[in-house]
């Protein structure tokens, strides 16, 4: 599987805090699958299975994930075994809420775009994410229009003549 909008691979040496960036990005986008224990060989442009020697070695990663989500909701973790080593397989669902991390005393929001985790660090991007997730809708938006411009508009005139008592 190639790394893309819905799939990513990480080495077991990834810090749990960095792993959470990808998990948040998946949750804030369309969901996705993450495999921890697959290393990239950049010289050969290939991937190698380099899993955990023991399932308990993944406890730090699992604990970080559990702290991000309510236990057992919006994600699923399992282990794949090959040649006496284990890859942590994480399935992340698209969440209804925005998932964020606290990094360097700041709230950070990431969204999966292609094969990367895009930081949403502007109010405009966060507002767009709220709309995409259905947290807010365009119908709730207000506009700075003069009441005269609206009441005297051609559309309002047509609308008011079509109303039957």
């Amino acid at each position: 599987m190639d790394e893309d909008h819905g799939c990513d691979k990480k080495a077991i040496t990834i810090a749990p805090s960095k792993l959470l960036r990808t998990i948040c990005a998946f949750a804030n986008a369309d969901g996705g699958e993450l495999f921890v224990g697959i290393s990239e060989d950049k010289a050969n442009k290939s991937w190698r299975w380099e899993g955990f020697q023991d399932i308990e070695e993944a406890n730090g990663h699992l604990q970080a994930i559990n702290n991000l989500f309510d236990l057992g909701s919006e994600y699923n973790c399992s282990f794949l075994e090959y040649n006496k080593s284990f890859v942590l397989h994480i399935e992340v669902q698209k969440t209804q809420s925005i998932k964020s991390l606290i990094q360097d005393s700041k709230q950070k929001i990431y969204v999966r775009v292609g094969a990367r985790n895009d930081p949403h660090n502007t109010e405009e991007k966060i507002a767009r994410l709220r709309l995409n997730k259905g947290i807010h809708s365009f119908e709730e938006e207000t506009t700075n229009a003069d009441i005269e411009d609206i009441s005297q508009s051609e559309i309002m005139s047509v609308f008011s003549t079509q109303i039957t008592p």
Side-chain angles (χ1 to χ4, degrees):
M1 297 172 64
D2 291 328
E3 289 184 317
D4 60 19
H5 185 71
C7 181
D8 205 347
K9 297 171 248 183
K10 302 290 184 192
I12 61 172
T13 56
I14 188 168
S17 60
K18 287 191 84 174
L19 179 68
L20 290 181
R21 288 182 194 172
T22 302
I23 292 172
C24 281
F26 280 145
N28 289 331
D30 298 320
E33 293 183 87
L34 183 59
F35 297 88
V36 181
I38 307 291
S39 298
E40 184 176 11
D41 182 352
K42 293 184 181 185
N44 295 325
K45 296 185 181 182
S46 63
W47 297 93
R48 291 189 312 257
W49 180 288
E50 292 183 347
F52 298 98
Q53 294 305 306
D54 186 287
I55 288 175
E56 289 186 12
E57 290 179 21
N59 282 349
H61 297 82
L62 293 170
Q63 183 179 12
I65 297 165
N66 285 336
N67 289 337
L68 181 63
F69 296 102
D70 293 331
L71 187 60
S73 69
E74 301 174 329
Y75 76 99
N76 183 46
C77 291
S78 59
F79 287 93
L80 308 173
E81 183 179 5
Y82 172 74
N83 204 20
K84 297 183 182 178
S85 69
F86 302 90
V87 165
L88 175 59
H89 177 223
I90 307 162
E91 296 173 278
V92 181
Q93 299 170 17
K94 178 180 182 176
T95 59
Q96 292 180 346
S97 63
I98 295 174
K99 293 295 182 188
S100 63
L101 304 172
I102 302 296
Q103 294 176 324
D104 303 323
S105 302
K106 294 181 183 177
Q107 185 177 17
K108 304 277 183 144
I109 297 171
Y110 297 92
V111 176
R112 190 72 174 183
V113 177
R116 66 187 174 99
N117 304 321
D118 185 30
H120 273 46
N121 50 10
T122 65
E123 209 36 60
E124 183 179 274
K125 284 185 174 184
I126 295 169
R128 172 58 63 186
L129 182 58
R130 286 186 185 112
L131 289 170
N132 290 346
K133 288 189 157 291
I135 296 169
H136 292 294
S137 69
F138 281 113
E139 289 79 12
E140 297 169 346
E141 296 292 317
T142 59
T143 182
N144 290 331
D146 187 11
I147 192 72
E148 298 279 326
D149 292 338
I150 296 171
S151 64
Q152 303 301 319
S153 71
E154 183 179 335
I155 291 174
M156 187 57 81
S157 176
V158 170
F159 174 74
S160 62
T161 59
Q162 293 177 351
I163 297 176
T164 55

